[in-house]
Amino acid sequence: MLKGKDMLSIHDLSVDEVQEILALAKELKAKQKAGIEHHLLKGKTLGMIFEKSSTRTRVSFETGMYQLGGQALFLSNRDLQLGRGEPIKDTARVLSRYLDGIMIRTFGHDRAEELAKWADVPVINALTDLLHPCQVLTDLLTIQELKGKNLKGLKMAYVGDGNNMTNSYMYGCAKTGMTFVAATPADYRPDETVTKQAIEDAKLTGASITLVTDPKEAVKDADIVVTDTWASMGQEDEHDARKKIFAPYQVNKELLAGADKRVIVMHCLPAYRGEEITEEVLEANADVIFDEAENRLHTQKAIMALTMC
């Protein structure tokens, strides 16, 4: 269903397409663990545009393409004429003549959308300031592994900044029938348009989307608690001010006392221990968090295989 399509947002995916990605990710993970070759993209090439640096994104996409039998090209601003002011539409049309797919990790979401508009090959959003769909699809896979395939009715609580992760979690929970509650300071809520779209999406699956300001209210009886750094890339100059604002939103042992007894805590990394999450909670959930990090590889392989095959 996804062949030849862009993957910019979970909102753009159907309920069935989300499940298709998760099912293939699970299958490819099993094959990789068993040492079974799965060269679904043999002879194909992915261009990886990085306007924001990353550890997990670069390594997982590059390794994933290798395991799928293809090749990945790392393209920073120093490697592209984009860094010297070439229009995105020209870069998109040129790269489409050489590549079978393009991945972009950038700042404004409009840059990913413009790239997709002009490219003749699938474009995958590896992160923008608005959305992080690959990470949230990864997290859904991880939750399936730990809580069972049917996610409907599970409660996810997000605590912290209403950022690109919060936005994408709303879409992901809406598409899978989960209950989602985000606790953020009033002035740091997730994107209003995304929130409205997620609430509409939720009607298809019986999911629910709720925004609150009280972390304890959000975490009450939660099956999954997630958080993210308080100052995202590009917000470093706000770090000290944000630490004061978000101090009541730390995920710690006291906050988790109100969650379900079998609660799992997730973090997309990098984590700043002592800020959004305590050392104690992170290490108690380290197996979950690093399984989550590993699953970026398997989920993104599924996305690449389904869009580029």
Side-chain angles (χ1 to χ4, degrees):
M1 288 188 289
L2 286 165
K3 184 175 181 179
K5 293 184 179 180
D6 302 315
M7 210 294 288
L8 301 183
S9 169
I10 297 172
H11 173 63
D12 299 332
L13 301 174
S14 69
V15 171
D16 288 343
E17 286 171 337
V18 170
Q19 294 303 325
E20 183 181 21
I21 291 169
L22 298 179
L24 182 57
K26 181 179 179 180
E27 178 185 333
L28 294 179
K29 182 175 183 177
K31 287 183 176 180
Q32 192 261 334
K33 296 294 186 184
I36 300 172
E37 188 177 276
H38 45 286
H39 289 172
L40 302 179
L41 295 179
K42 187 174 182 179
K44 303 223 170 176
T45 305
L46 174 76
M48 306 188 303
I49 298 175
F50 281 86
E51 296 184 317
K52 279 189 175 184
S53 59
S54 172
T55 298
R56 281 153 290 277
T57 300
R58 178 176 179 180
V59 176
S60 57
F61 268 104
E62 198 162 327
T63 301
M65 274 301 287
Y66 173 79
Q67 292 181 0
L68 290 169
Q71 179 178 348
L73 301 176
F74 174 78
L75 305 169
S76 71
N77 276 349
R78 294 185 299 274
D79 304 306
L80 295 171
Q81 295 297 334
L82 276 174
R84 296 178 60 204
E86 181 177 59
I88 292 175
K89 64 181 181 181
D90 290 356
T91 297
R93 288 182 286 190
V94 169
L95 292 182
S96 295
R97 305 294 181 103
Y98 304 144
L99 304 170
D100 301 289
I102 304 171
M103 180 230 84
I104 184 167
R105 181 179 170 92
T106 188
F107 292 89
H109 191 71
D110 58 318
R111 293 181 68 76
E113 290 179 325
E114 186 173 3
L115 183 69
K117 176 182 176 180
W118 292 99
D120 293 326
V121 296
V123 172
I124 298 170
N125 174 11
L127 178 140
T128 65
D129 287 344
L130 182 68
L131 297 172
H132 199 353
C134 291
Q135 180 66 61
V136 168
L137 288 165
T138 291
D139 291 1
L140 294 176
L141 173 66
T142 308
I143 295 167
Q144 278 191 342
E145 291 175 339
L146 295 167
K147 296 291 187 179
K149 183 177 179 180
N150 186 8
L151 302 179
K152 187 176 178 64
L154 290 176
K155 179 181 178 180
M156 174 186 285
Y158 177 91
V159 180
D161 184 24
N163 59 16
N164 51 6
M165 285 299 299
T166 328
N167 292 335
S168 291
Y169 276 130
M170 288 193 292
Y171 285 148
C173 289
K175 296 289 184 177
T176 53
M178 295 175 67
T179 295
F180 179 79
V181 184
T184 69
D187 293 335
Y188 293 86
R189 288 190 166 186
D191 183 83
E192 186 175 345
T193 299
V194 171
T195 303
K196 291 178 179 178
Q197 289 176 335
I199 290 171
E200 284 300 309
D201 287 348
K203 294 176 181 178
L204 298 173
T205 62
S208 67
I209 308 294
T210 306
L211 305 181
V212 300
T213 56
D214 183 359
K216 291 182 179 179
E217 180 182 351
V219 167
K220 181 176 170 55
D221 298 326
D223 301 289
I224 307 103
V225 174
V226 293
T227 188
D228 191 14
T229 177
W230 292 337
S232 299
M233 197 175 298
Q235 298 173 333
E236 290 82 1
D237 59 338
E238 302 174 29
H239 182 260
D240 290 344
R242 282 172 170 263
K243 278 182 69 174
K244 295 178 182 178
I245 294 167
F246 286 99
Y249 293 82
Q250 183 184 75
V251 175
N252 52 41
K253 186 176 180 180
E254 291 72 29
L255 180 64
L256 294 175
D260 184 83
K261 293 179 181 179
R262 296 161 296 175
V263 66
I264 58 172
V265 177
M266 304 178 73
H267 194 305
C268 62
L269 301 177
Y272 296 88
R273 294 161 169 83
E275 294 188 12
E276 74 273 6
I277 190 169
T278 62
E279 174 84 13
E280 178 184 24
V281 170
L282 189 146
E283 291 301 331
N285 290 272
D287 288 347
V288 174
I289 290 168
F290 289 100
D291 279 351
E292 176 187 4
E294 177 194 334
N295 281 341
R296 284 285 296 277
L297 171 66
H298 310 299
T299 305
Q300 288 163 183
K301 281 165 64 177
I303 292 166
M304 290 188 290
L306 289 167
T307 57
M308 295 170 59
C309 66

